[in-house]
Amino acid sequence: MSTAIKRALSNGSVLAFAILTIMYVVYVYSSIDVLTVNNATDLLNNVAPLVVAATGLTLVIISGGFDLSIGGVVVLSNVILVTQSDTTLQSGLLAVVIALAAGLAVGAINGVLVAYLRVQSIAATLGTFIMCSGIALVIMPSPGGSVPNFIAPGLNSALGGVLPVSLVVIGACLIGWLVIRRSRFGVYIYALGSDERSAVQSGIPVAGTKFKVYLGAGFLYALAGVMLTAQTASGDANASALFMVLVFAAVAIGGTRFGGGRGSAVGSIIGAGVLGVLQKMLFALGVSTFYTGIVQGAVLILAVILGHVSQFAAERLKEEETAQPSDESTSSEAKISSEGVLSDQD
Amino acid sequence: MTKTSDARFGATKRFPIRGHTGYVLALLAVSVVLMPVSKLISPSLGSWTTVSAILVVSSMLALVGFGQGLVILVGELDLSLPSTVALAGVLTTAWLSVTPSVLTFLQILGIAAVIGLVNGIGVAFLRVPSFIMTLGMQLIVAGAALGYTKGTVPGTTPDFLASVMLGKWWGIPIPIFLLVGMAVVGTVIQQYTRFGRKLYAVGSNRATAELVGLRVGLIVTGAFVVSAIAAALTGMMLVGYGGGATLGMGDVYFLSSIAVVVVGGSSILGGRGSFLGTVAAAIFLTTIATLIQAVGISQGWQTFIYGFLIVAVIGLLNRDLYARAFAPVSRLMQRGRSAPAAAN
Amino acid sequence: MGLALELTGLSKAYGPTKALQDVSFNVVEGQTHAIIGENGAGKSTLIRALAGLERPDRGSIRIQGRAYAPRNLKDSRRAGVSTAFQDLSLLPNLTVAENLFLPRLGRGLLVKRKDNEAAAREVLDKYRVGHISPNRTVDGLALADKQKLEIVRAISHQPKILLLDEPSAALPDVEWLYSLLADIRSSDLTILYISHRLAEIRDLCQTATVLRNGEVVDTVRVDEADDSRVFQMMGGATEGHGTEARQVRGVTGEPAIEVRNLSGQSIKDVNFTLQQGELLGVAALEGQGQGETFRILAGALKPAGGQVYVDDEAVTLNSTSAALRRGISFVAEERKTEGIFPGLSTLGNVTAGALRKVDRFGFLGGRREFASSVDVAREVDLNERYLRMDIDALSGGNQQKAVLARSLLQGSKYLLLYDPSRGVDVGTKGTIYGLMERFVNRGDHAVLWYSTDLAELSAVCDRILCFYRGSVVQELAGTDISVEALLAAITGHAGAEREAKA
């Protein structure tokens, strides 16, 4: 492999962006009325919930954990919106506040379990996932209902007829991420995802940081639930599994490594875009809806395998870079092998 | 001196695997108490009919829990069980009712085995996290079942399945005999075969397993294959019991298959647990589910209780966790005690 | 001059292992004080306790007369204690500047990258590592630069007490470190310097405390103690381990395992031959390549080059099961992480490596499994009633016996034992020596044995390989073997020792 290809492969976001571009081109060729404003807005609306949830999950994964509670929080938020609001604006706003608060509460429970009681993140969030699914079913045993107008079609429309709300939300995620990335908190997340022991020895408040990560993620999942409700305009307590798969896939396509310390929400946002285009493309190509599940499942698995390839490329690249001394100062020293013993002594 | 300190710890073990007999018996005892108590809630409960129905439903949950249990035993998760159950159910009505032969039966199990094999290869050799791999597989298999049926499940229930699942011997439903048989066979496989022992070893400590020459990848794959086959058998039982197949027939097992294993006392991190625990938990959880139905509260409570039990049992069986949870309290107490000591 | 640091009766135990026992010593302000000791002497625990990462069970610390009981790293920094850790606590995916300023990372809500990098530039220049660019991520740095960065980071917090844990371990030369320490020396800076290199300690330190098995052997003035006395204090008196106790065993001379020009991540050109009937010792400080050598022979790691011969046959050991087929069993150093199967009974632990030998038509749990385990348990002096217990309930020594029993049950001819006697009681140590003796006396069997305890190595082995920086630097045999000679060889003083003899 040439270095250029390796470099491209090693950067998850670049890789995801390349895939997105190729797919969009295929999609454009396959369908005539793609390049209309309506169609673009529709695509943005479709991916907005995915983008929000994937941003939250990316935070958790970079910090070295995992979060299965997404599905639970999203449906919980969905059924809260549908059942707690009538057609009035006030009730709708109140329902949104309750939904977001529920997301924060679940995030806080996850945070306490993982950060302070040190339960393995998958086990803890599996438990909260199931509990949330249960509560959602209690709140709304069978699918249906409706939401106030300001949610649907409100959140699907464009502000002043120009700026789609979903674009604002996606933009907010992006900006929020870039702020976090540049904050002390962001540095801590990357640090503790790559090596918790070193993070402790560097004086990073590990437990507090983890807690905040799960708290923030819970909030974002609830927000994703709100955006999803705008799409479906009804409630369904059983809709969690498919959405969860899409979120996992978005993160995996975006090049965030499961295991921590690496990745970016930018990649995940692009990953969500890939999935959105994929859905449109399958529809445009006339693939039966029966088979979309198969494609989504396969994409999820392949994305993770592709991530391994990308990581492998990144490691090889690093090896090559370290192998050749970059300036005179390193070359004057004895060469040092990677495990730490001098292979050349005077 | 060493000897006395060792002797202080626990009783000698009959089995080479950590026993948790007391816990398992407690689960069963609670179930047994709950069954007649439920009579107070609704007179129709607590009768032999209800109890036997609980046991029949438990037998299917126990079987799907057997497979999930083996996967959890090696420290992984299998989220593809619901669609495997459904696919096997669909194929049972579509194929087995038309050509009821052993070959057809084996074909269906073979298809399930392939699903498990792909799961295993993805997890063990391509290093895809198991919840990702199997969740993807869940969609793929569900899609395949949907695509195959185009939405309407063909065929009917094979007669012999109906006669097994609905039949009785000496007034006792046959599935109850199956449940007892499963408990024995499953326990033997898990605790008294080479395969089972290897699963414990891999789940207990993967690095050590590797160093003593166990082929970890193959063993993990094996767990997924058995899990998928158990799910397929469950699908067949469901067809016989319910009188047909639906595409959503396995959905209940998405969460309950994990709950039954964890509530049964197996460690979600792998390496610890017994199938008898899973069987006891299957009876326990089914009893609770029946109670919830009888009381007439939402199905959702059942799911919530399952989730709560998972978290509670993880905490209950992890002594370190308790220590950490109460660390602030004990630190306060210690401070109180050590204050005078520090003075001198 | 006042006391910078007073340690009184510091103790810390992990289960049955006593890492620190009643450690007391004082350090005068402005001095550089060395802590000397073998691996496992308690140096790291002491450092972690001072850094706030480990709470001692008993005892107290005072800094400049004030009580000091840090609960985390932050507390220690606030009290003016700063640490450069041996296992380098840098985050590989963060930049040099970010690593340098963790956890504060400057003022304000956002991390100002440019400002940080400029500030880092200043710090790096000031401490003579200007060639490291502050905007690079740490994983791209050479190991020596990582080590320097770890030290610079500790110094840059302007500590009153600086803890340096093996600061020269990865440095190709000590010039940089010497000049840096000369720069920052002042009457308010006290340095605790941990190293196994006596020459450095003589150059840098005024006083030294020698630790052995978690206890203080003595605190001495460096200029008053000569090398042999220090080595003796570190290794423990060699009483009872006379050379006459050693006898020539039935070494057949047939090669069992032969290693030619083996190289890998941390080793280069390793050559040696293990003969049948031999108990070959390996001596080394931690991380000198002996671990990788063992793992390559066990089939758990792949070598970068070189050839391994087993029974005169060139072999490729690409898995542990391949090595087992060649008759090689490996016992790893970390009992907890790579030795036992927690949750399984001792019996299950013993038979896990040889299930085919103890089953009956694929079934286990019967009399046969128990009987064959009893046989090997007897060989390692493990009471058979322990077999029915959970392995977690056993003491470290008995767990180690079970692990050894497992490798015996595998029926291999060659055993690779990596520090089997670490952290076990004296009785178990004796059992392990006896086991190894009997094992090699079976004729065509052999043992390759690494130990951190030089006294036991020199007492038990006829031939010992000394690893240093990834190669076998010296091979000691017969009457040349002594704790002092081993210590000299594994700390890179091999040449000097030989000259002294000549």
Side-chain angles (χ1 to χ4, degrees):
Chain A
M1 264 195 293
S2 80
T3 314
I5 296 175
K6 261 184 233 163
R7 206 178 290 272
L9 270 177
S10 67
N11 188 325
S13 304
V14 173
L15 192 62
F17 193 73
I19 296 173
L20 180 61
T21 314
I22 293 167
M23 286 183 48
Y24 201 72
V25 169
V26 174
Y27 170 47
V28 167
Y29 271 97
S30 65
S31 176
I32 301 158
D33 56 346
V34 169
L35 291 170
T36 62
V37 176
N38 259 346
N39 228 316
T41 312
D42 196 37
L43 181 64
L44 288 175
N45 287 338
N46 278 340
V47 299
L50 215 49
V51 163
V52 180
T55 305
L57 182 64
T58 308
L59 290 177
V60 175
I61 293 181
I62 292 175
S63 79
F66 200 83
D67 198 340
L68 288 170
S69 72
I70 299 179
V73 178
V74 166
V75 293
L76 189 60
S77 156
N78 170 247
V79 300
I80 288 176
L81 281 188
V82 173
T83 54
Q84 302 303 308
S85 61
D86 45 46
T87 49
T88 63
L89 182 66
Q90 284 135 313
S91 74
L93 283 177
L94 185 65
V96 170
V97 171
I98 296 173
L100 295 180
L104 279 173
V106 177
I109 295 171
N110 286 334
V112 168
L113 287 172
V114 176
Y116 296 104
L117 299 180
R118 283 182 249 159
V119 180
Q120 216 209 11
S121 60
I122 292 197
T125 55
L126 178 72
T128 48
F129 164 49
I130 298 179
M131 282 195 270
C132 288
S133 307
I135 296 172
L137 270 173
V138 170
I139 296 175
M140 196 171 172
S142 54
S146 60
V147 288
N149 285 336
F150 89 94
I151 293 179
L155 293 177
N156 294 327
S157 57
L159 291 176
V162 195
L163 190 61
V165 177
S166 39
L167 186 63
V168 174
V169 171
I170 294 171
C173 281
L174 194 63
I175 291 167
W177 164 254
L178 292 176
V179 170
I180 287 179
R181 181 76 186 85
R182 283 164 174 277
S183 71
R184 200 171 291 134
F185 177 62
V187 177
Y188 290 176
I189 298 174
Y190 277 92
L192 79 106
S194 92
D195 186 345
E196 202 170 319
R197 186 186 162 96
S198 287
V200 172
Q201 292 186 354
S202 298
I204 291 172
V206 167
T209 306
K210 271 193 195 171
F211 179 79
K212 284 181 207 155
V213 165
Y214 284 91
L215 191 68
F219 177 79
L220 286 172
Y221 304 152
L223 185 61
V226 174
M227 297 305 292
L228 189 71
T229 311
Q231 284 288 294
T232 60
S234 67
D236 183 357
N238 287 311
S240 57
L242 182 67
F243 186 73
M244 220 154 63
V245 169
L246 292 176
V247 177
F248 293 167
V251 173
I253 294 170
T256 296
R257 178 172 62 124
F258 294 97
R262 208 177 285 175
S264 124
V266 178
S268 305
I269 292 170
I270 298 171
V274 169
L275 291 170
V277 175
L278 179 74
Q279 243 161 357
K280 294 259 167 209
M281 203 168 89
L282 291 177
F283 185 73
L285 293 175
V287 175
S288 157
T289 48
F290 292 151
Y291 298 108
T292 49
I294 298 184
V295 175
Q296 280 159 344
V299 164
L300 171 61
I301 293 167
L302 289 177
V304 175
I305 295 174
L306 190 69
H308 287 322
V309 175
S310 160
Q311 197 193 328
F312 182 71
E315 273 159 19
R316 292 296 297 274
L317 198 66
K318 272 267 146 58
E319 267 169 39
E320 278 169 25
E321 274 174 2
T322 6
Q324 28 185 271
S326 50
D327 51 72
E328 69 289 340
S329 54
T330 43
S331 61
S332 68
E333 290 169 2
K335 269 198 188 139
I336 286 160
S337 66
S338 57
E339 209 195 36
V341 172
L342 298 158
S343 50
D344 189 3
Q345 44 172 310
D346 33 10
Chain B
M1 201 195 81
T2 349
K3 280 177 185 166
T4 49
S5 76
D6 280 345
R8 232 166 6 105
F9 287 94
T12 36
K13 291 281 180 301
R14 280 302 313 270
F15 304 130
I17 308 299
R18 169 186 284 240
H20 52 171
T21 329
Y23 176 77
V24 173
L25 289 177
L27 269 184
L28 284 176
V30 173
S31 313
V32 168
V33 170
L34 279 179
M35 286 179 196
V37 164
S38 59
K39 208 162 195 163
L40 303 176
I41 300 166
S42 156
S44 69
L45 293 179
S47 64
W48 168 239
T49 329
T50 331
V51 169
S52 65
I54 286 175
L55 291 176
V56 170
V57 174
S58 307
S59 71
M60 290 174 276
L61 184 55
L63 183 55
V64 83
F66 174 66
Q68 183 71 275
L70 295 190
V71 173
I72 287 179
L73 191 56
V74 294
E76 307 288 354
L77 271 182
D78 192 345
L79 303 179
S80 68
L81 294 178
S83 60
T84 311
V85 168
L87 181 68
V90 165
L91 295 181
T92 301
T93 56
W95 297 355
L96 206 56
S97 60
V98 181
T99 39
S101 67
V102 175
L103 187 68
T104 320
F105 176 74
L106 290 180
Q107 271 172 347
I108 296 171
L109 293 191
I111 287 170
V114 170
I115 295 170
L117 189 67
V118 176
N119 276 336
I121 289 171
V123 172
F125 297 101
L126 299 175
R127 292 185 299 135
V128 181
S130 62
F131 54 90
I132 298 270
M133 184 70 210
T134 55
L135 198 56
M137 193 52 104
Q138 157 73 10
L139 284 193
I140 293 174
V141 175
L146 182 65
Y148 175 73
T149 58
K150 300 273 184 284
T152 42
V153 181
T156 54
T157 308
D159 293 338
F160 76 94
L161 277 180
S163 60
V164 167
M165 291 306 292
L166 303 173
K168 287 183 180 180
W169 284 340
W170 308 293
I172 300 170
I174 297 176
I176 296 181
F177 292 100
L178 287 180
L179 179 65
V180 174
M182 265 189 267
V184 174
V185 174
T187 301
V188 168
I189 292 178
Q190 191 169 330
Q191 278 170 230
Y192 296 97
T193 64
R194 248 181 8 225
F195 173 64
R197 190 67 66 76
K198 286 177 186 170
L199 298 179
Y200 276 100
V202 168
S204 159
N205 192 336
R206 217 166 261 213
T208 310
E210 198 86 61
L211 283 184
V212 303
L214 295 178
R215 288 159 202 232
V216 172
L218 292 180
I219 295 164
V220 170
T221 307
F224 278 103
V225 170
V226 175
S227 171
I229 291 175
L233 289 170
T234 310
M236 293 177 182
M237 287 174 78
L238 265 176
V239 167
Y241 182 68
T246 63
L247 288 169
M249 66 193 271
D251 290 354
V252 289
Y253 297 125
F254 188 68
L255 303 175
S256 64
S257 68
I258 300 168
V260 77
V261 174
V262 175
V263 174
S266 297
S267 163
I268 190 131
L269 304 178
R272 288 167 203 253
S274 76
F275 181 53
L276 282 181
T278 304
V279 171
I283 296 170
F284 174 66
L285 292 180
T286 311
T287 309
I288 287 186
T290 314
L291 270 178
I292 285 172
Q293 273 163 21
V295 177
I297 53 176
S298 161
Q299 270 314 143
W301 285 111
Q302 182 189 331
T303 311
F304 176 80
I305 289 172
Y306 284 10
F308 179 78
L309 283 173
I310 287 180
V311 175
V313 169
I314 288 173
L316 195 72
L317 297 180
N318 185 345
R319 259 168 285 152
D320 289 358
L321 197 67
Y322 267 114
R324 276 196 290 274
F326 294 108
V329 181
S330 59
R331 211 174 296 146
L332 272 178
M333 289 168 62
Q334 227 170 28
R335 201 167 296 162
R337 241 179 298 139
S338 63
N344 50 34
Chain C
M1 241 184 284
L3 291 177
L5 196 59
E6 296 161 75
L7 277 68
T8 319
L10 225 52
S11 298
K12 174 81 191 175
Y14 302 99
T17 342
K18 288 180 180 129
L20 293 177
Q21 286 187 73
D22 202 15
V23 168
S24 305
F25 64 88
N26 299 332
V27 183
V28 175
E29 204 162 52
Q31 281 201 331
T32 304
H33 184 93
I35 308 282
I36 317 176
E38 288 183 7
N39 293 333
K43 293 173 295 181
S44 296
T45 312
L46 184 60
I47 288 292
R48 292 181 70 78
L50 285 168
L53 299 172
E54 210 74 76
R55 279 191 227 185
D57 302 331
R58 275 196 314 279
S60 64
I61 310 173
R62 299 176 93 73
I63 289 180
Q64 291 171 331
R66 246 172 313 184
Y68 170 68
R71 279 175 305 163
N72 51 40
L73 196 87
K74 234 169 145 184
D75 286 358
S76 77
R77 288 231 177 116
R78 211 172 292 134
V81 177
S82 185
T83 316
F85 292 95
Q86 183 187 10
D87 57 345
L88 306 190
S89 52
L90 303 171
L91 279 318
N93 57 345
L94 302 187
T95 65
V96 170
E98 285 168 336
N99 265 291
L100 211 46
F101 298 127
L102 274 176
R104 289 280 305 134
L105 298 165
R107 286 171 198 290
L109 187 68
L110 292 187
V111 177
K112 296 185 188 69
R113 222 189 149 107
K114 285 267 139 49
D115 292 1
N116 269 350
E117 278 166 13
R121 174 92 275 154
E122 234 167 76
V123 171
L124 294 171
D125 283 340
K126 182 176 171 194
Y127 297 117
R128 300 164 190 255
V129 281
H131 65 276
I132 300 176
S133 77
N135 55 3
R136 249 190 122 167
T137 55
V138 163
D139 55 1
L141 295 184
L143 187 75
D145 284 340
K146 287 184 194 166
Q147 174 97 64
K148 287 178 181 174
L149 190 59
E150 177 88 18
I151 297 167
V152 166
R153 176 162 88 168
I155 292 175
S156 70
H157 288 104
Q158 314 285 350
K160 284 186 290 187
I161 294 176
L162 177 64
L163 312 176
L164 298 175
D165 193 356
E166 302 280 3
S168 61
L171 297 181
D173 59 79
V174 289
E175 287 314 310
W176 173 81
L177 186 62
Y178 279 22
S179 48
L180 182 67
L181 292 181
D183 282 356
I184 60 168
R185 183 156 296 156
S186 80
S187 57
D188 349 300
L189 176 67
T190 310
I191 301 175
L192 227 52
Y193 192 91
I194 294 178
S195 178
H196 56 260
R197 295 180 183 167
L198 268 191
E200 282 170 28
I201 288 169
R202 288 198 179 285
D203 291 340
L204 296 170
C205 306
Q206 291 84 50
T207 48
T209 294
V210 183
L211 289 179
R212 190 172 70 232
N213 297 330
E215 288 178 276
V216 173
V217 179
D218 203 357
T219 297
V220 293
R221 288 186 56 87
V222 171
D223 49 17
E224 284 170 2
D226 60 17
D227 282 9
S228 63
R229 178 158 169 239
V230 174
F231 283 142
Q232 205 179 358
M233 286 195 290
M234 285 166 71
T238 45
E239 41 185 296
H241 293 314
T243 41
E244 59 280 354
R246 211 178 293 122
Q247 67 217 24
V248 180
R249 300 182 188 84
V251 177
T252 60
E254 290 291 316
I257 299 177
E258 212 180 327
V259 173
R260 288 285 155 260
N261 303 322
L262 203 64
S263 63
Q265 292 238 297
S266 64
I267 56 172
K268 196 184 140 196
D269 275 334
V270 171
N271 286 292
F272 65 86
T273 306
L274 169 68
Q275 294 170 350
Q276 291 189 341
E278 186 180 27
L279 169 51
L280 179 60
V282 172
L285 293 162
E286 237 156 88
Q288 305 298 315
Q290 74 276 22
E292 193 182 359
T293 308
F294 270 68
R295 269 159 205 279
I296 288 171
L297 293 179
L301 280 179
K302 288 188 179 54
Q307 184 62 53
V308 177
Y309 299 87
V310 177
D311 298 329
D312 271 335
E313 225 181 290
V315 294
T316 318
L317 304 168
N318 47 19
S319 71
T320 45
S321 40
L324 278 168
R325 277 196 299 277
R326 287 284 166 183
I328 302 173
S329 283
F330 173 53
V331 173
E333 62 268 41
E334 287 282 341
R335 228 179 0 255
K336 269 227 164 60
T337 56
E338 294 188 309
I340 62 167
F341 294 107
L344 265 68
S345 68
T346 308
L347 179 63
N349 267 276
V350 170
T351 56
L355 293 174
R356 273 181 189 284
K357 291 198 172 130
V358 300
D359 68 341
R360 212 176 268 270
F361 313 115
F363 292 103
L364 294 164
R367 220 171 297 139
R368 180 148 179 232
E369 184 182 9
F370 190 71
S372 29
S373 304
V374 167
D375 289 343
V376 284
R378 207 166 287 146
E379 275 189 67
V380 296
D381 197 23
L382 178 70
N383 194 317
E384 72 176 70
R385 75 200 170 88
Y386 293 137
L387 288 174
R388 298 289 195 198
M389 290 188 186
D390 263 4
I391 190 112
D392 318 48
L394 268 54
S395 68
N398 282 328
Q399 286 183 356
Q400 189 65 293
K401 287 178 185 173
V403 170
L404 288 167
R406 176 166 68 218
S407 57
L408 286 182
L409 191 63
Q410 289 182 317
S412 299
K413 273 160 58 180
Y414 309 131
L415 285 185
L416 311 174
L417 304 182
Y418 198 98
D419 212 3
S421 55
R422 186 198 284 194
V424 302
D425 53 299
V426 182
T428 307
K429 281 188 185 184
T431 308
I432 294 173
Y433 307 150
L435 166 74
M436 291 191 297
E437 296 264 352
R438 284 197 303 281
F439 190 80
V440 297
N441 282 332
R442 286 181 190 174
D444 57 352
H445 289 40
V447 174
L448 185 66
W449 174 39
Y450 167 67
S451 172
T452 41
D453 184 345
L454 300 177
E456 67 175 21
L457 270 181
S458 67
V460 177
C461 296
D462 296 320
R463 195 158 72 93
I464 298 172
L465 307 171
C466 300
F467 274 74
Y468 182 66
R469 297 192 161 182
S471 312
V472 178
V473 288
Q474 198 173 11
E475 193 183 301
L476 292 167
T479 49
D480 286 344
I481 296 177
S482 68
V483 173
E484 290 79 10
L486 287 173
L487 253 180
I490 64 172
T491 50
H493 302 86
E497 185 70 15
R498 238 171 287 153
E499 274 162 33
K501 279 223 184 281

